[in-house]
Amino acid sequence: MTVTRIREFRTLRGLTVRQLADQAGVSTGLISQVERGVTDPSLETMRRIAEVLDIPLFSLFQEPDEETVAVIRHDDRYRISSPHHAITYTRASPGGAKLEVLEGVLEPGGASSDELRSHPSEECVVVIAGRLTVQVGEQTHVLKTGDSCHFDSAIPHRFRNDGRTTARFLVSVTPPSY
């Protein structure tokens, strides 16, 4: 099971388990189990918890790194996935940094979320393998290996894999957000 910092951030904000659960739209039992490391929640649940706590999603998984140089070994990356959306993200940058770099793997037919989402950041996505459809507002862009796309994350957006092979991509987000 994944260890999170939910309890720490919840306590800092003066929220009870019930208040956090109600605001995130989940059960108190789920919050309790996640805080104790008994269960791993879905990506969507973690997004909602991070939004309520007003912190970047991946801040829930790692202590900020105080080093001036941070090396994150591939096998030590924090990982979050959503089987429903067939997407997995691993963080390639340290927690607490001004820039967040994620590696995404999106299975055929999958999407980063059911609906377009927005957050106060800017993003640049680079496709490493496969094809990735990037929806930003009313625009849709199909990116192939080596292509990139930069956009204001305040515009509702999402990633889709409309192809037949797995898509791998890097996403840089600044400042780190949900």
Side-chain angles (χ1 to χ4, degrees), residues 87-156:
I87 192 163
T88 300
Y89 287 108
T90 58
R91 187 172 62 194
S93 57
K98 295 176 187 170
L99 172 69
E100 183 171 62
V101 179
L102 307 173
E103 181 177 355
V105 176
L106 187 55
E107 298 300 324
S112 59
S113 61
D114 286 333
E115 299 176 5
L116 302 180
R117 302 179 55 84
S118 65
H119 49 94
S121 299
E122 63 181 275
E123 294 183 39
C124 183
V125 58
V126 180
V127 178
I128 300 169
R131 291 180 182 243
L132 187 69
T133 300
V134 179
Q135 290 180 265
V136 181
E138 299 295 319
Q139 299 180 17
T140 300
H141 304 278
V142 178
L143 307 179
K144 57 187 178 194
T145 301
D147 292 346
S148 63
C149 179
H150 175 269
F151 56 92
D152 181 344
S153 304
I155 302 169

Side-chain angles (χ1 to χ4, degrees), residues 21-86:
D22 289 347
Q23 290 179 38
V26 299
S27 71
T28 55
L30 178 62
I31 296 290
S32 176
Q33 289 177 346
V34 172
E35 284 187 350
R36 292 181 289 131
V38 173
T39 190
D40 284 331
S42 70
L43 175 60
E44 187 59 33
T45 297
M46 291 303 288
R47 281 181 176 152
R48 286 188 272 162
I49 291 169
E51 287 174 4
V52 170
L53 296 173
D54 194 32
I55 58 172
L57 174 67
F58 274 93
S59 293
L60 293 173
F61 299 99
Q62 183 180 26
E63 293 292 328
D65 195 321
E66 300 298 326
E67 302 282 330
T68 56
V69 175
V71 175
I72 294 91
R73 303 288 179 206
H74 184 270
D75 292 344
D76 295 333
R77 287 186 190 174
Y78 283 87
R79 172 188 168 112
I80 189 164
S81 60
S82 177
H84 172 69
H85 294 107

